[in-house]
Amino acid sequence: MMGVALAAAWPALAFAQQDQPTTQPNAQPTFQSPLGHDERGQLLNNLTGAKQAGASKAQAPVHTDGLKQGELYLEADELTRDDKNGITTAEGHVEVRYQDQTLRADRLVYQEAPPAPAGEQRTHDKNAPAQGVIRAYGHVQIIKDDGTVEYADQMTIDDKMQAAVAIAFSTQMKDLHSNQEVKISSDTAVRRSEDLQELNRAIYTPCAICIGETPKDPTWSISADRIVRDEIHHIIYYRHAKVHVLGIPILYLPVFWHADPSADRESGLLAPTIGYNKRRGFTYQQPYLFVFSPSADLTVSPQFNSNANPFISMRFREAFDNGVVDVRAGFTHDYDLTSDGVRFGDDTFRSFILARGAFQITDDWVAGFTAERVSDTLLFDKYDIGRVYEARGPYVADDHRLISQVYADRQDANSYFSIAAFDIQGIRVGDNNRTFPVVAPIIDGHYEDPNDIFGGRLRFTASEVTLTRDQSPDVLTEEAPGMNSTRISAGADWNRVFTSESGFRVSPFINIRADDYDISDILVQLGQATPTSLATFNKTESRLVGVAGADFSYPIYRRIGDATVVLEPLTQIALSPKADQIVIGKNATTGLPIYFNEDSVAFEFDETTLFQADKFPGYDLYEDGDRLNLAGRVSVLWDDGRRASFLIGRSFRAEPNNVFPQGSGLNDTASDWIVAGDAAPIKGLSFFGRARIDGETYKIHRLEAGASVNFKWGTGFVSYLTDDEGIDGTPIKNVEFGGDLNLTQHWGLSTYGNRDLIQDAWVIRDVGVFYKDDCIRVDVYYRHEDIIAGRLGTTDALSLRLTLATLGAPFYGR
């Protein structure tokens, strides 16, 4: 919070606790010697010497300093008592311990308050005893139980520890939020009451103020004529504040305030974002955090633009005993924008919501929801709304897709059950939301028998899903109805592991499943380029599918120098009867059957699916036939933490299989080759690579490779992807990179790029310069986007982010 700034150290003058023991103004102080006859060790029951109070507090809680409530420990080279004038003086290495706090000084004088004259009353409270005064001189220190140390040349305090004055005050402490060392000093410091303090001619900084023993200007600091800390409202107020960077004043604020940094969570300004882009012109976004309670807050972030109306973003968060709610929303009332900032269309209300909630109903049950909607498909891009496409629930949509869902899950040691419903909003160019299904309900359950069944594990599964569409995604005419379907499945799987003394491992398995399908509104002309009829038909079908087989492995270990080498041949045999795929039509061009497929569209053949008995990720398509999956893996593990591994494998089938999509590498009797490897040859460097290579021509159909570095001079990554056929059937070739390069101890460069090699164009590219030290980071970066979506074309942006430690945000880089 912007409030994590100034008077975190101000409790220097508040070392008294609220609950003070009752005192008797006329009683004489009593001394005990906890250190035998050592005159330096003295124990005062109370500064006003109440014997009765000490006796009544005998059973009070003991503090961490070993003292009971109301007791005070005083140690000094010399202690004198003037009974006539009611003055107690301690000199030389004075140390006072009171309620988990320690006061040190060269000299301390306690002046008792005289009793009220007969017939007179106290001006503030007739029942309150008179207050004495404590004066501490020379190298005054107050040390709190949290390690905070406060300094002054002179300090005057009343014996109620509720009002105090300090001269030449300073302190050093850790800020609760940033863990930075905070320094603050002032000419004078006044604690006017238990809840109100003032610093006069004060300066604050979390930065280093010395190089060794040589003073230096802090990187940044704030000075003010007057600072007031209100502990009731947890606010710090400034009068005539100046922000200094490298000792130079860059900002003057006649009035300024923020949240008290000593509080765990308080309202206040957060770090702003300043920038310029072609769409919105000059832009300034200033978040403000409202804290309603320790478990609830609201962040309001107005974005002011020179070429567009303000955009208001909000985020509400609340934690409950059994769950959490997190709601993001934003709105504006404006025209639409082109990439050049030209307004067009209607002047209307535009908004979004991104919300989630999750609750632990019982020890086994969890329920929750997500709500994601936007009024304009390009709203997030136009107003630079970040962190949109995140997982907020168990079902996750793809990039530029929003998902709203409700769900309930139950899980214990042996079973799992889930019931949910969701729908999707597509915001990609060309998305037609009438073609996206509403999924309600979707049910999934598993039960694992805790007992060994034939020496192995037996698990039962069941699932159900219903999909409803308004419009067909295959025949894009308004009159084409959407296909609706319901699937109910139940199955069981069993496996066991045998391991010989030599390490040879055999794991037999059996999987069996029954499916029942009810499909309606299937287009008769599905698959034809130009349908002549929109007639539909329904289909109900049941089937039984299964597979039996075994996994074999035999790892071989050998030490070579300071490394362990592991060679591991891997084999899987899987046998399945011919599966009844659900056919809903024929392709008019090729004559091949069109299979019902709602949950296995996204499919990739790589090292993660090579040894799956059924390589399809969903239920609708099933891998049948007899097949043999083979691979060899070698791993090298060095004693110093370096590592490397490499795998090569292939799948063989008794007969070709046209159920797999063309280009998957699995249609023929011999599949494509799968190659994968990763290594960390030195500390801070790692890389990986995986490829699918044609089994006959050795052409690379898919390749993904990357590397990352993390050294003292910088961090970075680079990745490359090429694929003959992406999910939508179009080829992909892309390179992405980014990182920070530290040129000096404080200065560096940052960059990010994403280039489409097929289009030979940059999707996005950033380049920036930053300055950072232990208490400040400044990022200035330029961004160019070549994304063209609708009327939102290429754009350029220049942004500035200033992060000051303890002010407004966690201290981290961009």
Side-chain angles (χ1 to χ4, degrees):
M1 296 185 299
M2 182 72 87
V4 190
L6 267 155
W10 183 236
L13 303 182
F15 64 94
Q17 303 297 319
Q18 292 183 351
D19 296 328
Q20 299 290 340
T22 303
T23 60
Q24 302 292 332
N26 296 321
Q28 297 298 318
T30 60
F31 299 89
Q32 301 174 4
S33 179
L35 303 179
H37 297 287
D38 187 351
E39 63 179 0
R40 295 182 61 193
Q42 304 294 340
L43 181 65
L44 278 68
N45 286 333
N46 189 279
L47 283 175
T48 55
K51 295 182 181 180
Q52 300 90 336
S56 64
K57 297 293 183 178
Q59 303 301 321
V62 176
H63 293 271
T64 58
D65 54 17
L67 302 177
K68 297 178 182 178
Q69 185 75 13
E71 291 182 334
L72 179 148
Y73 178 84
L74 171 63
E75 180 179 304
D77 290 343
E78 182 178 348
L79 184 66
T80 60
R81 167 72 180 172
D82 183 349
D83 290 332
K84 180 179 179 179
N85 296 308
I87 298 176
T88 301
T89 303
E91 296 190 79
H93 302 93
V94 180
E95 181 173 310
V96 178
R97 294 204 297 270
Y98 180 71
Q99 296 190 176
D100 299 330
Q101 299 173 92
T102 301
L103 169 64
R104 292 174 180 168
D106 295 340
R107 183 169 180 264
L108 183 145
V109 177
Y110 171 62
Q111 172 71 65
E112 293 181 19
E120 294 188 11
Q121 295 181 347
R122 304 295 176 193
T123 56
H124 60 288
D125 186 348
K126 65 180 181 180
N127 297 317
Q131 292 185 357
V133 176
I134 304 169
R135 292 185 176 87
Y137 304 90
H139 303 95
V140 180
Q141 298 180 23
I142 296 177
I143 306 170
K144 295 180 172 295
D145 60 350
D146 62 359
T148 300
V149 183
E150 295 136 357
Y151 308 89
D153 287 349
Q154 180 178 328
M155 188 176 293
T156 303
I157 318 165
D158 72 343
D159 64 5
K160 292 293 185 183
M161 306 295 188
Q162 293 179 351
V165 175
I167 297 175
F169 169 78
S170 63
T171 188
Q172 179 171 309
M173 64 175 293
K174 277 190 179 294
D175 179 79
L176 294 178
H177 301 271
S178 64
N179 204 33
Q180 294 287 120
E181 290 288 346
V182 174
K183 301 94 178 172
I184 185 170
S185 63
S186 64
D187 288 353
T188 61
V190 181
R191 183 180 182 91
R192 299 196 177 277
S193 70
E194 202 170 333
D195 303 310
L196 194 66
Q197 306 90 35
E198 294 180 8
L199 293 171
N200 297 300
R201 295 181 59 81
I203 185 170
Y204 161 86
T205 183
C207 306
I209 56 176
C210 293
I211 301 178
E213 296 183 357
T214 304
K216 65 179 286 287
D217 286 332
T219 306
W220 72 271
S221 62
I222 298 178
S223 63
D225 290 349
R226 185 184 181 204
I227 301 172
V228 177
R229 180 187 180 200
D230 184 343
E231 292 192 42
I232 295 179
H233 300 95
H234 302 288
I235 296 294
I236 306 295
Y237 298 94
Y238 296 81
R239 187 69 178 270
H240 300 299
K242 296 178 182 178
V243 179
H244 302 257
V245 176
L246 299 177
I248 302 172
I250 62 170
L251 179 64
Y252 167 75
L253 299 167
V255 179
F256 178 59
W257 67 91
H258 60 75
D260 187 339
S262 66
D264 289 338
R265 298 174 67 254
E266 286 300 330
S267 303
L269 297 170
L270 305 179
T273 300
I274 305 171
Y276 175 84
N277 63 49
K278 292 171 61 178
R279 285 192 292 262
R280 304 188 313 276
F282 177 80
T283 178
Y284 177 86
Q285 185 165 334
Q286 179 59 72
Y288 191 93
L289 176 67
F290 296 91
V291 175
F292 304 127
S293 71
S295 60
D297 60 42
L298 172 67
T299 303
V300 179
S301 305
Q303 181 189 95
F304 303 99
N305 308 291
S306 61
N307 290 349
N309 288 345
F311 189 93
I312 309 298
S313 295
M314 297 176 291
R315 184 176 187 179
F316 175 79
R317 301 179 300 175
E318 183 166 6
F320 303 92
D321 291 339
N322 66 336
V324 63
V325 170
D326 188 341
V327 180
R328 293 176 59 191
F331 64 91
T332 187
H333 197 286
D334 203 355
Y335 295 93
D336 209 341
L337 290 172
T338 67
S339 59
D340 295 324
V342 178
R343 299 185 177 188
F344 69 96
D346 297 327
D347 185 6
T348 185
F349 188 80
R350 307 175 190 277
S351 61
F352 76 87
I353 184 171
L354 303 169
R356 72 177 183 93
F359 301 91
Q360 189 80 40
I361 306 302
T362 67
D363 290 343
D364 298 333
W365 280 95
V366 174
F369 71 91
T370 69
E372 301 180 355
R373 280 295 183 269
V374 66
S375 61
D376 297 43
T377 57
L378 299 175
L379 189 73
F380 297 125
D381 301 294
K382 291 173 184 174
Y383 291 94
D384 292 331
I385 309 300
R387 301 182 61 185
V388 174
Y389 312 106
E390 296 182 340
R392 297 181 176 87
Y395 296 95
V396 183
D398 202 354
D399 185 55
H400 281 76
R401 300 276 168 81
L402 303 178
I403 185 169
S404 299
Q405 60 190 294
V406 292
Y407 62 90
D409 298 338
R410 182 191 182 279
Q411 185 170 359
D412 59 25
N414 300 313
S415 64
Y416 171 80
F417 175 80
S418 172
I419 181 170
F422 64 84
D423 71 345
I424 297 172
Q425 180 188 14
I427 55 176
R428 298 177 183 175
V429 175
D431 276 348
N432 181 352
N433 286 309
R434 298 184 69 238
T435 67
F436 289 109
V438 174
V439 182
I442 178 170
I443 302 172
D444 190 22
H446 308 269
Y447 173 76
E448 184 173 319
D449 196 312
N451 304 306
D452 286 347
I453 306 300
F454 299 109
R457 175 194 58 80
L458 177 63
R459 184 177 63 170
F460 299 94
T461 62
S463 69
E464 189 275 349
V465 62
T466 297
L467 290 80
T468 305
R469 282 187 174 89
D470 291 335
Q471 183 177 333
S472 170
D474 301 299
V475 181
L476 299 179
T477 64
E478 291 292 334
E479 298 80 10
M483 182 172 58
N484 306 319
S485 65
T486 296
R487 174 188 53 79
I488 300 176
S489 300
D493 62 82
W494 174 90
N495 77 294
R496 183 178 178 180
V497 178
F498 297 91
T499 304
S500 70
E501 293 182 357
S502 63
F504 182 67
R505 185 175 181 270
V506 180
S507 179
F509 59 84
I510 300 174
N511 301 336
I512 188 170
R513 193 183 78 219
D515 300 326
D516 184 80
Y517 284 86
D518 184 5
I519 310 171
S520 62
D521 290 336
I522 306 171
L523 289 172
V524 172
Q525 300 296 334
L526 185 63
Q528 293 189 8
T530 307
T532 58
S533 172
L534 293 178
T536 63
F537 68 97
N538 303 332
K539 185 171 187 177
T540 300
E541 187 170 338
S542 299
R543 67 179 180 180
L544 187 67
V545 294
V547 59
D551 294 310
F552 305 88
S553 65
Y554 187 40
I556 303 171
Y557 299 83
R558 184 172 182 178
R559 288 286 295 179
I560 301 178
D562 63 345
T564 300
V565 179
V566 183
L567 299 175
E568 188 175 11
L570 303 168
T571 303
Q572 182 185 75
I573 297 175
L575 309 175
S576 299
K578 184 172 179 59
D580 293 326
Q581 311 293 345
I582 309 301
V583 179
I584 57 174
K586 286 188 177 182
N587 188 289
T589 303
T590 64
L592 295 175
I594 299 175
Y595 299 114
F596 178 79
N597 181 19
E598 295 281 11
D599 57 13
S600 297
V601 176
F603 170 77
E604 191 63 54
F605 179 43
D606 57 21
E607 75 278 11
T608 65
T609 57
L610 176 60
F611 287 97
Q612 289 184 1
D614 176 17
K615 294 181 176 59
F616 288 108
Y619 286 80
D620 294 338
L621 299 180
Y622 195 86
E623 183 181 8
D624 57 10
D626 303 332
R627 56 263 191 202
L628 175 67
N629 302 314
L630 297 173
R633 179 166 54 201
V634 58
S635 302
V636 183
L637 306 174
W638 283 270
D639 296 341
D640 58 5
R642 293 176 295 157
R643 59 176 175 79
S645 67
F646 177 79
L647 178 144
I648 182 170
R650 198 176 189 187
S651 180
F652 298 91
R653 306 182 57 83
E655 297 179 357
N657 190 327
N658 66 354
V659 178
F660 288 101
Q662 293 295 322
S664 66
L666 283 165
N667 302 94
D668 296 331
T669 54
S671 74
D672 289 346
W673 288 95
I674 297 298
V675 178
D678 64 88
I682 60 176
K683 185 178 180 180
L685 171 64
S686 64
F687 56 85
F688 73 93
R690 57 175 60 93
R692 180 165 57 84
I693 304 173
D694 193 285
E696 296 181 357
T697 65
Y698 299 103
K699 176 187 176 182
I700 296 177
H701 291 301
R702 189 179 192 276
L703 171 65
E704 184 179 4
S708 63
V709 295
N710 186 359
F711 297 121
K712 65 179 182 179
W713 43 264
T715 62
F717 75 93
V718 60
S719 63
Y720 171 81
L721 172 65
T722 178
D723 194 339
D724 290 349
E725 293 185 16
I727 293 178
D728 59 358
T730 60
I732 300 173
K733 188 174 289 187
N734 178 272
V735 64
E736 184 180 19
F737 62 87
D740 287 352
L741 175 62
N742 299 322
L743 301 177
T744 67
Q745 181 181 0
H746 301 299
W747 290 93
L749 298 175
S750 62
T751 184
Y752 173 78
N754 189 321
R755 185 171 180 82
D756 188 331
L757 300 179
I758 294 179
Q759 299 294 329
D760 196 23
W762 290 96
V763 178
I764 189 172
R765 48 188 157 165
D766 286 357
V767 62
V769 61
F770 64 84
Y771 173 90
K772 65 177 181 179
D773 59 22
D774 59 344
C775 64
I776 190 174
R777 174 159 179 148
V778 182
D779 287 272
V780 180
Y781 56 96
Y782 162 81
R783 168 172 291 184
H784 178 81
E785 297 180 51
D786 287 327
I787 302 171
I788 299 176
R791 298 189 63 173
L792 193 63
T794 61
T795 185
D796 298 276
L798 183 66
S799 299
L800 166 68
R801 181 177 178 87
L802 174 65
T803 305
L804 304 178
T806 77
L807 278 182
F811 189 53
Y812 52 79
R814 180 175 60 86

